[in-house]
Amino acid sequence: MPPQIRFADIQLLRYEVPGFDTLSLRQKKLVYYLSEAALSGRDILWDQNCRFNLPIRRMLETVYNAIASQETASSDESENSEVSAFLTYMRQVWFANGIHHHYSMDKFQPAFSETFLRKQLTAIGYPIDEGLLRAIFDPTFLPKRVNQADGADLLLTSAMNYYAPGITQQEAEQFYTEMKANFLHNNRSLHEPSDYSPSQPLPPCPPSFGLNSRLERDANGKLCERTWKSEGMYGTAIDRIIYWLEKAATVAESEQQRSVIAKLVAFYRTGDLHTFDLYTILWVQDILGDIDFTNGFTEVYGDPIGLKASWEGYVNIRDVQATERTRRLSENAQWFEDNSPVDPRFKKRECRGISARVVNVATLGGDLYPASAIGINLPNSDYVRQHYGSKSVTLGNLTAAYAQAARGNGFYEEFVHPDELSIINSPLSLRLDDLHTDLHECLGHGSGQLLPGVDPDSLGSYGSTIEEARADLFALYYIADTKMVELVLVPDEEAYRSQYYTYMMNGLMTQLVRIQPGQQIEEAHMRNRALIARWLLENSGAMELIKLSHPLTPSPSNTASGAPTECPIAHYLHISSYPALRQAIGKLLAEVQRIKSEGDREAARQLVETYGIQVDPALHAEVLERYRRLNIAPYKGFINPRLTPIYNTEGEITDVTISYDETYDQQMLRYGRDYSTLATD
Ligand code: ZN
């Protein structure tokens, strides 16, 4: 395979798709059609992330192509450095699906000049749009995609495009509170979707109001929704998705899968959120096939108030052997629920339908591309989860690609206390990462219940962090349980220790490498890990950060002086009692579940604000410096393999080939060309 590529803080990886070549022709066609559907919604996400993203991408790609077509590089050195800064910026924008960093949410600062870009545009006769140039170059304009700062108006201060400019957080929250209240007071039959059939009962709860629309003002200034559907907003992209889904339906693996696809198409046509719930109910029960997919408005992390969903899509193929591991967990779901340290009132009486499998990804799209999750648990509706269960997957080939990239880069040698290094470096340690992901996804998110009458959205902007903390704590608690030995998932009762060590080290120290100096922790999963690790540092009495004298590895700045310099404040995590740490994890799990079950927003706020957000500047600087010397990219993402259908003279597909040789730039330009489904006006 060609080498990985690096730019800015990014490393691109490739993933292989084991098992693709052994699929039947029918299955290969199914994977191909679903992959096309997963790529066809790309433009939706770009527009959701910021209203300037699509025209900026098209403008930059035109400049990119013009630069690439110039035969020789300029002899002017400053011109060349502008070009290379432009290429870096282009690749960053591609990676982030827009002009804001995918993780920190901060707007990229281009290292080339506005004069350079104007000159390029003029040379190729591309119309200059002052608004776009301002969006790129003015650091005070739309500085953050998703602002989570406590106390600010989260909508007015965020650049995301889910709400028309000028709509306040209070207006939007009130709009949806009233919508829910109206639903609960009115006869439910008024809300029944047109394709409703009594054979499949409608959930009695409100659907996820707001999920698939942009909130705008009408001509009279009244708030109204513009729904994302065929013939609605994003209609041209959605029609293309429908086209490929309908092709997929013709080669579906079962009648059930065909009805899943049909219901999804009905949702895309109508935009009706009840139909969406019915679709997820069918989807979560369709577990027998080898090929599965997600396609739609799914996760709400991109909306500061967590209502509106970004578009994502991906296709996966079951990994039969690894699925056996998660089967053992999900078969025992009720045992885990019954034996957890949470208050019995917050436990599920009956755990059902938690299906878990290990899959290999065939195509990533939308909000899962190029940066992807490694485990996915859907659907997000609490009602559907409680009554029909959830589907949980570990993305095995992505995990393997990460593990391969992390091997031997010196990271653990730098940050792990020398006494713990042998545990961390064992092959077992890698397997425990997978086990943690399995526990988090297939048991953690699926566990527990809300008390009757508690609104699932009552934790507001703290909801995502608390939910991730709940799933992680569940995983951490049980990975140390003797049940793991009994189920032959770990070899002995001490195996969990490497997972505790790396998790706490990450939450306390090493995840800080993803944050710029002076910034706070923003992203929900990072806040969750900080919250857990720092709460335990303060309250468990089982671990501490100690200082050891630390010979810095030579770097270009100090090799000149000869001897390595001493760093007097190198911190290492020391865990003095693993059993005591586990006990404290159980205590925090019980509290976090209480907060979720009771909808205790104030307690959620306290916990997240106290432990999940602030950064100790001195420790942060030290970690950044130690990390910088290792020269590792803090963020990783994936280049998709390319699926190519082979047609016969009758125009029928006779085979689908898979190749791994496309470069990052080639793939991005091709996607920009072939999946440009939304016009820019
Ligand atoms: Zn999660």
Side-chain angles (χ1 to χ4, degrees):
M1 281 194 188
Q4 297 141 349
I5 108 147
R6 278 209 49 180
F7 54 86
D9 52 0
I10 303 293
Q11 179 181 11
L12 267 307
L13 309 175
R14 287 174 195 276
Y15 60 92
E16 290 186 77
V17 190
F20 182 81
D21 289 324
T22 60
L23 296 177
S24 69
L25 174 59
R26 190 185 166 97
Q27 288 178 313
K28 283 183 183 176
K29 283 186 189 172
L30 179 60
V31 171
Y32 172 68
Y33 294 143
L34 291 171
S35 293
E36 289 297 305
L39 296 172
S40 296
R42 178 172 183 249
D43 278 4
I44 297 176
L45 176 73
W46 281 71
D47 191 67
Q48 288 176 320
N49 282 346
C50 177
R51 63 192 190 277
F52 294 103
N53 281 339
L54 280 175
I56 286 177
R57 187 186 80 204
R58 284 173 187 147
M59 175 175 78
L60 297 178
E61 285 177 355
T62 310
V63 172
Y64 178 103
N65 285 326
I67 291 173
S69 68
Q70 284 156 18
E71 298 261 306
T72 50
S74 159
S75 57
D76 178 347
E77 217 156 275
S78 75
E79 169 93 9
N80 286 340
S81 79
E82 296 255 49
V83 167
S84 99
F86 171 83
L87 294 178
T88 299
Y89 181 76
M90 175 86 260
R91 290 171 182 141
Q92 287 182 293
V93 170
W94 276 331
F95 192 89
N97 296 294
I99 58 176
H100 299 86
H101 193 280
H102 74 289
Y103 218 89
S104 75
M105 306 287 167
D106 294 325
K107 196 163 80 172
F108 295 121
Q109 285 305 301
F112 58 92
S113 67
E114 188 169 341
T115 315
F116 167 81
L117 184 56
R118 281 178 187 276
K119 213 176 106 190
Q120 297 292 324
L121 292 169
T122 307
I124 55 175
Y126 199 95
I128 288 181
D129 180 330
E130 296 299 333
L132 299 190
L133 293 186
R134 182 176 176 220
I136 294 174
F137 291 103
D138 179 350
T140 65
F141 182 50
L142 305 171
K144 205 156 196 101
R145 174 151 72 82
V146 182
N147 183 27
Q148 297 279 7
D150 195 25
D153 184 305
L154 302 184
L155 297 190
L156 294 180
T157 55
S158 297
M160 49 81 227
N161 189 28
Y162 295 110
Y163 303 84
I167 293 176
T168 66
Q169 181 178 354
Q170 203 235 322
E171 282 180 291
E173 284 175 342
Q174 194 182 337
F175 180 85
Y176 285 107
T177 307
E178 281 170 15
M179 193 179 269
K180 248 188 224 174
N182 282 341
F183 173 88
L184 294 169
H185 284 110
N186 288 336
N187 186 336
R188 202 197 68 194
S189 65
L190 293 175
H191 300 277
E192 276 174 8
S194 53
D195 63 330
Y196 174 66
S197 82
S199 65
Q200 199 194 357
L202 270 179
C205 60
S208 309
F209 283 127
L211 190 77
N212 66 331
S213 63
R214 183 174 193 255
L215 193 60
E216 303 186 344
R217 279 186 215 284
D218 66 15
N220 303 316
K222 225 175 127 245
L223 293 184
C224 61
E225 288 188 318
R226 232 171 113 210
T227 303
W228 306 326
K229 59 173 185 172
S230 183
E231 293 176 18
M233 190 173 178
Y234 301 146
T236 51
I238 288 169
D239 285 344
R240 182 92 80 95
I241 296 166
I242 290 174
Y243 171 85
W244 289 111
L245 287 176
E246 287 183 331
K247 290 231 173 225
T250 65
V251 288
E253 289 189 285
S254 63
E255 270 316 307
Q256 184 161 12
Q257 190 177 48
R258 205 185 314 277
S259 63
V260 170
I261 296 173
K263 196 60 92 177
L264 176 58
V265 168
F267 167 64
Y268 273 137
R269 289 200 196 283
T270 61
D272 186 300
L273 286 166
H274 293 280
T275 303
F276 179 72
D277 280 344
L278 296 177
Y279 151 69
T280 60
I281 289 168
L282 289 177
W283 177 80
V284 83
Q285 297 178 96
D286 176 27
I287 51 173
L288 294 177
D290 288 330
I291 292 156
D292 201 4
F293 71 101
T294 289
N295 189 301
F297 305 105
T298 308
E299 301 290 354
V300 296
Y301 301 110
D303 174 0
I305 58 173
L307 296 173
K308 302 190 175 290
S310 62
W311 190 90
E312 68 181 39
Y314 85 109
V315 187
N316 70 62
I317 304 166
R318 181 205 294 265
D319 180 331
V320 178
Q321 280 171 358
T323 296
E324 168 60 19
R325 191 177 71 219
T326 54
R327 189 188 60 79
R328 276 181 241 168
L329 291 179
S330 39
E331 277 184 359
N332 289 280
Q334 193 65 52
W335 184 92
F336 287 104
E337 187 75 358
D338 294 345
N339 288 278
S340 89
V342 317
D343 187 314
R345 291 180 303 140
F346 310 142
K347 290 185 184 182
K348 271 199 185 124
R349 301 283 169 279
E350 202 184 333
C351 275
R352 62 178 116 181
I354 299 172
S355 91
R357 54 163 86 182
V358 177
V359 301
N360 290 312
V361 169
T363 298
L364 297 166
D367 217 357
L368 289 169
Y369 171 83
S372 173
I374 49 168
I376 298 178
N377 181 300
L378 291 172
N380 284 327
S381 155
D382 278 306
Y383 178 86
V384 178
R385 300 168 74 85
Q386 198 168 342
H387 291 84
Y388 298 91
S390 57
K391 253 192 224 178
S392 171
V393 296
T394 300
L395 310 180
N397 55 342
L398 302 194
T399 315
Y402 276 124
Q404 200 175 358
R407 204 172 298 153
N409 64 14
F411 178 76
Y412 287 140
E413 286 75 6
E414 172 60 45
F415 286 104
V416 173
H417 189 289
D419 297 347
E420 307 270 358
L421 202 51
S422 61
I423 328 176
I424 309 301
N425 269 337
S426 76
L428 179 64
S429 161
L430 278 181
R431 271 172 45 204
L432 283 167
D433 284 347
D434 287 343
L435 184 56
H436 176 96
T437 309
D438 296 341
L439 284 162
H440 173 111
E441 296 294 342
C442 79
L443 297 179
H445 281 306
S447 71
Q449 64 175 7
L450 301 180
L451 287 185
V454 171
D455 182 340
D457 298 330
S458 50
L459 300 182
S461 57
Y462 301 107
S464 303
T465 301
I466 291 295
E467 176 56 20
E468 291 309 322
R470 202 174 69 84
D472 262 359
L473 287 163
F474 199 93
L476 289 167
Y477 181 77
Y478 275 119
I479 206 166
D481 202 282
T482 50
K483 191 80 178 172
M484 293 295 116
V485 185
E486 193 186 306
L487 295 174
V488 208
L489 293 163
V490 298
D492 61 63
E493 288 178 14
E494 292 189 353
Y496 71 94
R497 293 183 174 197
S498 71
Q499 181 60 207
Y500 272 23
Y501 193 90
T502 51
Y503 187 96
M504 301 305 155
M505 178 183 80
N506 187 39
L508 293 171
M509 297 169 59
T510 48
Q511 73 165 352
L512 295 176
V513 304
R514 296 169 157 216
I515 297 173
Q516 297 295 314
Q519 303 288 306
Q520 297 185 327
I521 305 174
E522 304 279 351
E523 199 272 341
H525 296 80
M526 285 181 73
R527 284 187 168 183
N528 133 53
R529 293 189 284 260
L531 184 162
I532 290 174
R534 291 177 187 169
W535 188 92
L536 290 167
L537 185 68
E538 202 169 297
N539 298 290
S540 71
M543 63 185 195
E544 56 184 332
L545 278 182
I546 56 171
K547 298 170 192 176
L548 292 181
S549 95
H550 171 70
L552 287 173
T553 46
S555 80
S557 59
N558 70 4
T559 41
S561 64
T565 38
E566 289 289 312
C567 179
I569 49 151
H571 288 80
Y572 294 88
L573 172 64
H574 174 64
I575 295 181
S576 51
S577 168
Y578 282 90
L581 187 56
R582 188 199 181 207
Q583 210 168 18
I585 287 167
K587 209 171 134 198
L588 183 56
L589 171 59
E591 170 62 3
V592 165
Q593 182 62 58
R594 182 198 68 75
I595 290 172
K596 165 109 180 174
S597 292
E598 295 180 352
D600 186 344
R601 184 171 182 152
E602 179 51 27
R605 195 186 71 82
Q606 282 287 344
L607 209 49
V608 176
E609 295 286 341
T610 309
Y611 297 103
I613 299 176
Q614 308 298 330
V615 175
D616 170 355
L619 181 63
H620 189 195
E622 176 203 317
V623 169
L624 286 176
E625 175 58 16
R626 289 164 72 185
Y627 190 75
R628 190 185 64 75
R629 289 160 187 274
L630 296 172
N631 197 27
I632 302 170
Y635 302 99
K636 295 179 177 66
F638 296 94
I639 301 173
N640 277 324
R642 182 172 189 175
L643 299 176
T644 311
I646 312 292
Y647 293 92
N648 65 14
T649 49
E650 275 85 53
E652 295 156 348
I653 294 178
T654 57
D655 195 9
V656 179
T657 61
I658 188 163
S659 58
Y660 303 95
D661 48 9
E662 201 169 28
T663 69
Y664 176 70
D665 291 10
Q666 282 167 348
Q667 183 157 90
M668 288 297 179
L669 290 167
R670 179 169 66 87
Y671 285 180
R673 201 174 56 236
D674 294 353
Y675 302 96
S676 187
T677 49
L678 295 179
T680 40
D681 33 43

